[in-house]
Amino acid sequence: MDIKVGDILTLKKKHPCASFDWEVLRIGADFRIKCLGCGHQLMLPRVKVEKSIKKIKKVEDGDSRL
Ligand SMILES: [Zn+2]
């Protein structure tokens, strides 16, 4: 699965703050993702993230979000 830093992941499970969308902050064996609803950050194993993804919104190249 092609996931890049800055991509927005829509997960199957809803966060307690009611948001489904998470921004990818860091990629590796573990992913660091940030909830777009409340700003909560999580570290999750890559496999677990990939399993719970419903949709990926790709970030455009050159987007200076960081
Ligand atoms: Zn949240």
Side-chain angles (χ1 to χ4, degrees), residues 31-48:
F31 279 27
R32 179 176 281 280
I33 57 177
K34 184 176 86 177
C35 176
L36 292 186
C38 64
H40 184 74
Q41 292 188 16
L42 273 185
M43 285 281 275
L44 285 175
R46 183 187 184 105
V47 238
K48 209 168 172 187

Side-chain angles (χ1 to χ4, degrees), residues 8 17 19 21-23 34-40 65:
I8 306 298
C17 74
S19 175
D21 295 337
W22 297 74
E23 179 181 352
K34 184 176 86 177
C35 176
L36 292 186
C38 64
H40 184 74
R65 187 190 305 268

Side-chain angles (χ1 to χ4, degrees), residues 1-12 20-25 27 31 33 36 46-60 65:
M1 198 176 280
D2 180 35
I3 302 170
K4 283 197 286 190
V5 170
D7 285 355
I8 306 298
L9 308 179
T10 303
L11 301 187
K12 292 172 189 161
F20 287 90
D21 295 337
W22 297 74
E23 179 181 352
V24 179
L25 299 181
I27 282 173
F31 279 27
I33 57 177
L36 292 186
R46 183 187 184 105
V47 238
K48 209 168 172 187
V49 173
E50 290 186 344
K51 271 190 196 160
S52 50
I53 291 175
K54 193 175 162 198
K55 209 168 67 182
I56 302 176
K57 196 191 289 174
K58 304 300 292 176
V59 70
E60 297 294 328
R65 187 190 305 268

